[in-house]
Amino acid sequence: MKRPTRRNFELLLLVMAWGLGVLGTVQVGWATGEGLHPRLWITAAVVGVLALIAHLIVRWRVPYADPLLLPLATLLTILGLVMIYRLDVAAAQRAERVGAVPPTPDVYNQLTWYAVGVTLFVLVLLALRDHRILQRYTYTAGMVGIILLILPLAPVIGTTVNGATLWVRVGGLTFQPAELAKILLTIFFAGYLVVTRDSLALVRTRVLGIEFPRPRDLGPILVAWLVSLAVLVFERDLGTSLLFFGLFVSMLYIATQRRSWFVLAGALFAIGAVFAYLAFGHVRVRVQVWLDPFAYADTGGFQIVQSLYGLANGGLLGTGLGGGYPSLVPFANTDFVVAALGEELGLTGLIAILLLYAVLVERGLRTAVAVRDPFGQLLAAGLSITLAIQVFVIVGGVTRLIPLTGLTTPFLSYGGSSLVANWIIIALLLVISHRARRPLEGQTDDASMPTQVVSR
Amino acid sequence: MTEFGLTLLRLSFLAGLWLFVIVTVLILRRDLAQPRESRPATAGAPRRTRPARAPKAAKPAKIPRSAGPSLAVIEGPLSGTVIPLGSSQITLGRAPDSTIVIDDDFASSRHARVYPSEGAWIVEDLGSTNGTWIDRTRITSPTALPPGAPLRIGRTTLQLTT
């Protein structure tokens, strides 16, 4: 039986994504009165070539992989590039009005990081034939992940930006190691839970009619909780801390199918949240601003208030790319890129973007359901959940559903570490998805070999 | 650029974005409609077999739609999974690199293998602890698997369809 590979659909969607990018850039130029960007076609060609390279490598290495993952990630990256270009234009125009030196545009940096992301994407596809190899490096990944997580605290290279110690500076380059750590820790959690999930799921003690794990099995969740708290205390980063805890609890639930983990995690989360609220000024400010942003409109709530005004200005259909004032929100191209997009594309556009994320996560989880080995299931589910948590936390923060925490919007935000890490995630999902969807007849690498008897 | 042209451009961008979403969803639907070869019913702990799943597993005739022989899991946590049999062998067991990973305390890491030989499919037990059973007999040597007969490994039952 010949299975369809669906690669032509992927190509079609990539062409559409590219076309939308060009259309958006043209629109920004016209609406802001800048005219066509002189380097529009060169930039468009670079983006097109990068997308094409990614597509061809997928065709060659993982032909049966999911056809939607790559185009979705590409479109989100392209939308991010368009928005960053649009904010560059705004910054340049403002500098011109004031008579200041125009700031260097960010869009070329982001384009470079996109190229780096695609390079790593290709490297992962070339180097990793089978995701199960990663299971051998469970504890190595865990170690390296934790080291990366605490690296910003190292004396010389660690850097504090806007109160959060999240960056590492080597030479002139800054990098957010937590972004890579999230991939490595997902690998670790997956490998660890595959081995231990039976004892975590089966051995229970009954308290108040609900089955709870034995105290000694609570070790891992307590460690995950303490590490998250440590990140919060020492690096002052609420978002990363939430991401890790949420990721671990979700994976624990998927591995054991026990709802009691959520009860436990909820209790631990509540304790942690109360502790953080009482102990840290910056957490308290975030919560107060969340509850009543307009009371702090000129101080701590300025950003969120501007973002709400922006979303209101956008309305249903948006002001059109280049038609709004997204640059009034501080950090519009990183944390608040969703607010900028919401203003210029309106609710209609924002919902489309959220749907893109929803489909991306759905395809990741579908991969987890389809793959035949438990490690792959947990890894694919964990990687998709990281994306989902990130989108929820940042979009929720920007739209004032939950208190604002600094996390990057996957693929959209300006910032190299996040973009590169998310492209690696897509590559890993494609590798797993290829193994889940390909027909078994094509399995020549391991199935045709005589079965090895390996004693463990 | 006139106001009208800009509005047109603005709306066409939104339309393009939604067209992308719609095409995505269409492909998604198409992908779901095709016969799926592998669908493990549960991703997690195997012990909690839900009673609701039992009647679904009882009619495996619905699952093998592809031409050619296939091995269907009709009972156990992976029920619903159909593995098409080609020219190569498949391995069963708890080891993560098995073709069918049977996550079950009653299965061994390298439990059994199924391979083609002279037009038949042969099951060979690879020295498992709890044995490989065809119908009610525990096999001791490589045995041809008759189509339709239940092949039992731990809590998992498989069936050959030609």
Side-chain angles (χ1 to χ4, degrees), chain A residues 59 91 127 157 187 216 306 337 438 448:
Chain A
R59 245 176 216 270
I157 51 174
I187 295 172
R216 76 176 84 157
Q306 292 301 320
V337 73
R438 69 180 175 163
S448 57

Side-chain angles (χ1 to χ4, degrees), chain A residues 67-123:
Chain A
L68 296 176
L69 290 168
L70 177 64
L72 287 167
T74 308
L75 178 60
L76 288 167
T77 310
I78 288 176
L79 286 177
L81 283 167
V82 170
M83 201 63 221
I84 290 161
Y85 162 59
R86 191 262 169 277
L87 292 164
D88 282 345
V89 170
Q93 285 183 338
R94 182 160 34 178
E96 205 177 327
R97 261 200 317 278
V98 194
V101 189
T104 42
D106 288 331
V107 67
Y108 297 113
N109 278 337
Q110 183 77 349
L111 194 59
T112 314
W113 282 115
Y114 175 39
V116 174
V118 169
T119 311
L120 283 169
F121 172 89
V122 167
L123 283 180

Side-chain angles (χ1 to χ4, degrees), chain A residues 1 3-4 6 9 12-13 16-17 20 23-24 27 30-31 67-68 71-72 75 79 132 135 197-198 201-202 254-258 317-321 345 348-349 351-353 355-356 359 362-363 366 369-374 377 436-441 443 447 449-452 454 456, chain B residues 1 6 9-21 23-25 27-28 30-32 34-48 50 65-67 69 78 81-91 94-101 103-105 109-110 113 126:
Chain A
M1 187 179 75
R3 283 201 93 175
R6 307 253 187 253
F9 284 128
L12 171 78
L13 285 174
M16 283 177 70
L20 274 170
L23 189 66
Q27 199 185 337
W30 275 335
L68 296 176
L72 287 167
L75 178 60
L79 286 177
R132 288 177 293 197
Q135 196 174 358
R197 66 171 175 189
D198 278 356
L202 287 179
I254 293 171
T256 59
Q257 294 190 350
R258 296 287 177 177
L317 290 174
T319 58
L321 285 166
L345 300 179
T348 318
I351 289 178
I353 290 171
L355 275 176
L356 296 179
V359 175
E362 192 273 343
R363 292 324 285 173
R366 165 71 53 189
V369 172
V371 77
R372 276 182 290 267
D373 68 288
Q377 289 178 345
R437 292 161 58 100
R438 69 180 175 163
L440 284 160
E441 283 88 342
Q443 215 172 22
M449 286 192 301
T451 308
Q452 292 174 306
V454 180
R456 296 193 182 198
Chain B
M1 199 66 196
L6 263 179
L9 207 56
R10 186 181 103 192
L11 294 180
S12 62
F13 186 82
L14 284 179
L17 204 57
W18 274 96
L19 185 68
F20 186 95
V21 171
V23 172
T24 303
V25 172
I27 296 175
L28 211 143
R30 224 183 147 117
D31 209 57
L32 290 177
Q34 80 176 45
R36 304 258 323 271
E37 275 158 19
S38 81
R39 182 163 43 182
T42 46
R47 242 68 50 193
R48 291 212 315 184
R50 291 171 197 164
R65 271 162 68 185
S66 59
L78 286 173
T81 305
V82 180
I83 308 291
L85 297 169
S87 51
S88 51
Q89 70 159 349
I90 63 163
T91 53
R94 289 210 303 191
D97 55 341
S98 314
T99 319
I100 303 179
V101 181
D103 194 6
D104 185 337
D105 286 344
S109 304
R110 314 272 163 182
R113 66 188 183 115
L126 298 172

Side-chain angles (χ1 to χ4, degrees), chain A residues 95-232:
Chain A
E96 205 177 327
R97 261 200 317 278
V98 194
V101 189
T104 42
D106 288 331
V107 67
Y108 297 113
N109 278 337
Q110 183 77 349
L111 194 59
T112 314
W113 282 115
Y114 175 39
V116 174
V118 169
T119 311
L120 283 169
F121 172 89
V122 167
L123 283 180
V124 170
L125 289 188
L126 289 180
L128 193 69
R129 266 247 116 123
D130 185 349
H131 61 272
R132 288 177 293 197
I133 294 168
L134 294 174
Q135 196 174 358
R136 291 182 209 153
Y137 302 104
T138 299
Y139 287 92
T140 318
M143 272 293 286
V144 177
I146 298 226
I147 289 172
L148 280 176
L149 206 53
I150 58 175
L151 206 57
L153 298 173
V156 182
I157 51 174
T159 314
T160 305
V161 180
N162 303 324
T165 314
L166 266 185
W167 283 265
V168 164
R169 185 189 297 276
V170 180
L173 277 175
T174 51
F175 199 78
Q176 240 173 303
E179 293 287 343
L180 275 182
K182 85 184 171 195
I183 302 176
L184 290 168
L185 288 177
T186 311
I187 295 172
F188 167 68
F189 292 159
Y192 169 79
L193 289 171
V194 163
V195 179
T196 53
R197 66 171 175 189
D198 278 356
S199 68
L200 289 175
L202 287 179
V203 192
R204 321 290 291 183
T205 46
R206 189 171 271 272
V207 180
L208 296 172
I210 309 172
E211 288 189 329
F212 282 105
R214 283 181 305 183
R216 76 176 84 157
D217 290 330
L218 288 178
I221 193 172
L222 284 177
V223 168
W225 182 65
L226 286 174
V227 168
S228 308
L229 269 186
V231 168
L232 179 66

